Amino acid sequence: LRNIEAKVNNRIPKNFPTVKFLNYKNRKRILVTGGAGFVGSHLVDRLMLEGHEVIVADNFFTGRKRNVEHWDGHENFELVHHDIVRPLYLEVDEIYHLASPASPPHYMLNPVKTLKTNTIGTINMLGLAKRVGARVLIASTSEVYGDPMEHPQSETYWGHVNPIGPRACYDEGKRVAETLSYSYMRQEGVDVRVARIFNTFGPRMHMNDGRVVSNFILQALQNDSITIYGNGKQTRSFQYVSDLVDGLVALMSSNYTQPINLGNPVEHTIEEFAIIIKNLVGGTSKIIELAAVEDDPQRRRPNISRAKRFLNWEPKVSLTEGLTKTISYFEKELKKTKHSQGD
Ligand code: NAD
Ligand code: UDP
Ligand code: UDP
C-alpha cells in the first residue's frame, strides 16, 4: 500500500499549455481523423487551445504519437488508434476528416489502400455525420485539378486528371471524396464543407515525408545535393501550416458549402525554390536535376478570391518566415537523430 501511495504522490502533474475555458454551450466535441499527422496535429493544437474536446482517430501510417503527445492525459483530449476504412461510432458535433497520406511517395506506396482510405473512409465519416447530425469538413486537395489547363486554378475549374496514372489513387480518391460529400449533402442533408488544400509546409513534417520542402531543407542542412525532378520549370505555391489551420477553422464555422481553395498564391518554379532554400540554409549543396516524375503537374497556383470573399481569409505568413521556422525545426530533428545514433 505504501508503494502505491508513493507512486500516486510522486505523479508529476503535466504542464499543459493554457487552454481557454468554454462553458458547455460553446464547447464542441470534435473528431479529427488523421490528427496525428502534420496538418492534423497543428489543427488539434488550435482546437484544444480554444477549449474544445478533441478526439483524434489515426492509424499512424504517416502520423506519429509524438505530434500530439503534449496533450496526452489532458481531460479534453483523446487519441484513438483507428483505421478509418473501418466504421467508427462516436458522438461528435464536428468532424475534420484529414486521414489520408498526402505525400506522393507515401500515397503511391499502397495505391489500393490510398483509394480505400479516401473512398470507404470518407463514406464512414459521412455516415457518422449523418447519424449524429455533425458538420463534416473534408480535406480535399489542389490535386483534384490534376495537371491544370487553367491558371491560376479557381474552384469552378473541373480539372485535368489522368485516371489511370501513378497519382490517380490520390487524385481520383479525393475527387470521389468530394462527389460523396455533395451526394450525402443532396440526398441525406449532411452538412459538408470542402477545403481544396494547396501545398503546405511547416514543422512536424516527417523527415521521410518525401515532399519537396522537407527534401530540399534536409538536403541543404546536410550539404547533400538538392534534387530537382525534371528541369525545375514546374511551379508550386507554398503556404505555411498556421495559415491553413486558420482557413480550415474559418471554413468549418462558415455557412459556405461549396469547395474552397486554401493556399498561398505566391508562385515559384521548383528551381527558384531550390535556390531560395539553399540561400536560407547556407552550406555547400549542389543543385542537381534528376529524371522528371510521371504526370507531375506543371503549374499550380490557387485563385483565392472565394476564400477572401466568403471566409475573409488570406495567408499571412511569408515564404521566408515560414521557411525559417521550418528550417530550425529540421535542424533540431537532425540533432535528435544524430544524438540517438550516438554521434
Ligand atoms: P500526413 O501524412 O502528415 O497526415 C495524414 C494522417 O492521416 C497521418 O497521421 C496518417 O497516419 C493518417 N492516416 C492515413 N491513412 C489513414 C487511415 N486509413 N486511417 C486513419 N488514419 C490514417 O499528411 P498531411 O500533410 O498532414 O495531410 C493531411 C490531409 O490534408 C490529407 O487528407 C491530405 O490529403 C490533405 N492535404 C495536405 C496537403 C499538404 O500539402 N500538406 C495538400 C493537400 C491536401
Ligand atoms: N458509419 C460509421 N459510423 C456511424 C454511422 C455510420 O462508421 O456512426 C459507417 C457505416 O459503416 C456505414 C457508412 O458509415 O457503412 C455509411 O453510412 P450510411 O448510413 O450512409 O450507410 P448504411 O449504413 O445505410 O450502409
Ligand atoms: N520535387 C523535386 N524534388 C524533390 C521532391 C519534389 O523537384 O526532392 C518536385 C516535384 O516533382 C513537384 C514539386 O517538387 O514538381 C512538388 O512536389 P511535392 O511532392 O512536394 O508535392 P506535389 O505538389 O507534387 O504533390
Side-chain angles (χ1 to χ4, degrees):
L1 190 68
R2 220 184 302 139
N3 272 348
I4 294 172
E5 228 168 14
K7 262 190 199 155
V8 172
N9 291 337
N10 285 341
R11 217 186 268 156
I12 302 162
K14 216 172 151 177
N15 234 347
F16 291 113
T18 314
V19 166
K20 242 192 238 165
F21 175 76
L22 289 180
N23 66 23
Y24 76 97
K25 271 197 212 143
N26 299 323
R27 192 189 312 139
K28 296 198 174 97
R29 295 197 85 205
I30 305 177
L31 170 64
V32 182
T33 75
F38 158 54
V39 174
S41 63
H42 287 281
L43 175 65
V44 166
D45 287 349
R46 176 73 53 90
L47 299 173
M48 282 295 296
L49 291 171
E50 283 177 3
H52 298 293
E53 283 178 47
V54 178
I55 304 170
V56 167
D58 202 298
N59 72 348
F60 304 112
F61 172 45
T62 52
R64 295 169 293 184
K65 280 188 189 153
R66 77 173 160 98
N67 286 341
V68 287
E69 74 181 353
H70 44 286
W71 295 116
D72 188 24
H74 194 286
E75 59 179 357
N76 289 353
F77 180 74
E78 196 177 337
L79 176 61
V80 186
H81 189 158
H82 180 81
D83 190 319
I84 214 63
V85 173
R86 295 191 3 254
L88 180 62
Y89 286 80
L90 293 168
E91 320 305 316
V92 290
D93 304 304
E94 290 179 350
I95 305 165
Y96 287 89
H97 178 40
L98 272 61
S100 164
S103 149
H106 289 155
Y107 67 64
M108 287 183 205
L109 206 63
N110 185 342
V112 173
K113 179 71 191 195
T114 300
L115 273 163
K116 285 183 183 170
T117 296
N118 279 295
T119 54
I120 303 171
T122 303
I123 290 178
N124 285 337
M125 287 307 97
L126 291 162
L128 169 57
K130 170 184 143 189
R131 182 176 64 78
V132 300
R135 180 173 287 183
V136 56
L137 183 151
I138 305 290
S140 184
T141 168
S142 53
E143 294 278 334
V144 298
Y145 303 124
D147 189 3
M149 312 290 273
E150 180 181 302
H151 193 76
Q153 294 81 51
S154 44
E155 293 86 348
T156 49
Y157 177 52
W158 289 355
H160 181 229
V161 174
N162 174 0
I164 57 167
R167 300 173 84 97
C169 57
Y170 183 71
D171 301 9
E172 298 290 17
K174 292 285 187 184
R175 287 169 67 96
V176 172
E178 289 199 9
T179 311
L180 282 164
S181 303
Y182 291 105
S183 302
Y184 267 84
M185 183 171 95
R186 285 193 199 103
Q187 191 178 319
E188 310 285 355
V190 174
D191 194 13
V192 301
R193 302 288 180 274
V194 173
R196 289 188 181 150
I197 303 169
F198 283 65
N199 297 63
T200 307
F201 71 97
R204 298 196 193 141
M205 287 185 95
H206 205 289
M207 297 259 276
N208 304 325
D209 185 275
R211 280 177 279 187
V212 70
V213 180
S214 46
N215 275 8
F216 283 5
I217 293 178
L218 284 167
Q219 289 161 345
L221 284 171
Q222 296 173 103
N223 294 317
D224 291 338
S225 301
I226 296 179
T227 55
I228 292 180
Y229 302 158
N231 63 13
K233 303 289 178 229
Q234 71 271 38
T235 70
R236 291 293 186 275
S237 311
F238 297 96
Q239 85 181 315
Y240 189 64
V241 65
S242 59
D243 284 331
L244 173 59
V245 169
D246 288 345
L248 293 173
V249 171
L251 175 57
M252 183 62 107
S253 65
S254 87
N255 289 326
Y256 193 75
T257 57
Q258 289 299 294
I260 282 217
N261 288 341
L262 294 176
N264 191 320
V266 178
E267 183 182 5
H268 287 285
T269 67
I270 292 303
E271 189 182 35
E272 284 163 2
F273 196 59
I275 297 167
I276 293 171
I277 292 192
K278 188 179 143 88
N279 288 343
L280 279 175
V281 174
T284 56
S285 291
K286 279 199 216 105
I287 297 176
I288 60 165
E289 280 179 22
L290 300 181
V293 293
E294 204 179 329
D295 291 344
D296 201 357
Q298 290 307 297
R299 298 183 78 186
R300 183 180 292 158
R301 171 154 65 100
N303 176 332
I304 58 164
S305 32
R306 209 178 252 192
K308 277 188 186 160
R309 178 162 168 218
F310 292 100
L311 307 182
N312 194 21
W313 173 90
E314 64 183 317
K316 295 188 196 108
V317 182
S318 72
L319 184 63
T320 313
E321 191 185 343
L323 281 176
T324 308
K325 288 183 180 161
T326 312
I327 290 167
S328 87
Y329 163 78
F330 277 116
E331 250 167 349
K332 284 188 207 126
E333 288 294 289
L334 277 175
K335 270 190 205 136
K336 265 194 226 162
T337 328
K338 283 199 184 121
H339 187 69
S340 68
Q341 286 169 348
D343 287 10

